[in-house]
Amino acid sequence: MFSSDTMSMFGTGVIETLYMSLVSTIVAYIIGAPLGVLLVVTDKKGLRPQRFINVTLNIIVNILRSVPFLILLVAVIPFTRFVVGTSIGSTATIVPLVLAAAPFIARLVESSLMEVDPGVIEAGRSMGASDFEIIIKVLLPEAKPSLFTGSAIAVTTILGYSAMAGFVGGGGLGDIAIRYGLNRYETDVMMIAVVLLVIIVQILQEAGNYIAKRSDKRI
């Protein structure tokens, strides 16, 4: 059996992993969700087609999404140090996690909003709703189940990214798995860390699916 210190280490790892994943998801949604809405609104079939803005945003999102997370993690170390004063630990890991997740979330939101029936939008227009009202009262409510499903995908993806941060001392279960499994050949500790990561992913994914089903008025 593991010692009490090792069990305490796993407990801290779980807390740090949840802290990094959930805070990063919230901040990334604050940045990425409006970006996703803007991509839909400025699309050629959107409420306010703006080709230059749409193309520029698409290029920025594609570039940021093209950079592998491990490379991004290392490349933004000076920026991370500037923002939080250090490049090591769970709080420092939130910075690259947000930079990687925000464009990903923008695409998820864009995809969800694009699924909304254009007829519903036209109905909103015929009732005299403004563009802002259509976004708030038509697009977002109609896309709610898909948005919740996307949020479950986002948080589990970010959790996977957080595990990779263990390569640079990012904290959490990924850090434990790499430090003990890779550097010290303690396979049992690594396996426990991996199992805990899998359990957390399953819980978050199922919770997201449940909320998405509950919000779907077609069921």
Side-chain angles (χ1 to χ4, degrees):
M1 278 299 289
F2 296 115
S3 67
S4 59
D5 288 342
T6 306
M7 298 302 290
S8 174
M9 178 183 69
F10 282 130
T12 303
V14 170
I15 292 170
E16 287 182 350
T17 297
L18 289 174
Y19 164 66
M20 287 188 290
S21 304
L22 297 179
V23 172
S24 300
T25 302
I26 292 170
V27 178
Y29 259 94
I30 292 172
I31 299 170
L35 198 56
V37 172
L38 201 55
L39 282 166
V40 174
V41 170
T42 57
D43 184 74
K44 62 182 178 182
K45 294 181 181 178
L47 297 172
R48 289 289 181 90
Q50 294 287 340
R51 180 174 167 74
F52 176 76
I53 295 175
N54 190 265
V55 169
T56 303
L57 288 177
N58 268 298
I59 291 173
I60 292 171
V61 168
N62 287 341
I63 290 173
L64 289 174
R65 288 201 62 203
S66 300
V67 181
F69 180 68
L70 272 178
I71 296 174
L72 178 71
L73 187 66
V74 175
V76 301
I77 282 178
F79 179 68
T80 302
R81 198 173 287 133
F82 171 76
V83 174
V84 296
T86 178
S87 61
I88 298 173
S90 51
T91 298
T93 304
I94 290 173
V95 176
L97 282 175
V98 169
L99 291 174
F104 174 61
I105 286 170
R107 285 294 182 216
L108 287 176
V109 172
E110 179 193 20
S111 174
S112 296
L113 298 184
M114 294 290 276
E115 293 175 5
V116 176
D117 183 357
V120 181
I121 299 171
E122 285 305 314
R125 281 189 187 280
S126 66
M127 294 173 67
S130 66
D131 290 341
F132 182 74
E133 287 174 327
I134 289 175
I135 293 169
I136 299 298
K137 297 180 178 178
V138 179
L139 270 177
L140 293 175
E142 286 294 321
K144 203 160 49 175
S146 180
L147 288 171
F148 280 127
T149 302
S151 66
I153 295 171
V155 71
T156 51
T157 301
I158 292 170
L159 191 144
Y161 286 167
S162 76
M164 284 190 268
F167 278 106
V168 292
L173 292 169
D175 183 46
I176 293 172
I178 292 167
R179 191 151 36 98
Y180 286 84
L182 188 66
N183 298 338
R184 302 184 186 180
Y185 303 105
E186 295 184 27
T187 310
D188 52 347
V189 175
M190 182 187 70
M191 290 305 297
I192 294 293
V194 171
V195 168
L196 288 172
L197 280 170
V198 171
I199 291 172
I200 293 172
V201 167
Q202 290 298 318
I203 291 172
L204 293 175
Q205 184 67 59
E206 289 303 319
N209 291 343
Y210 175 76
I211 295 171
K213 285 180 183 175
R214 295 276 297 183
S215 66
D216 193 345
K217 58 189 179 186
R218 296 168 299 183
I219 298 176

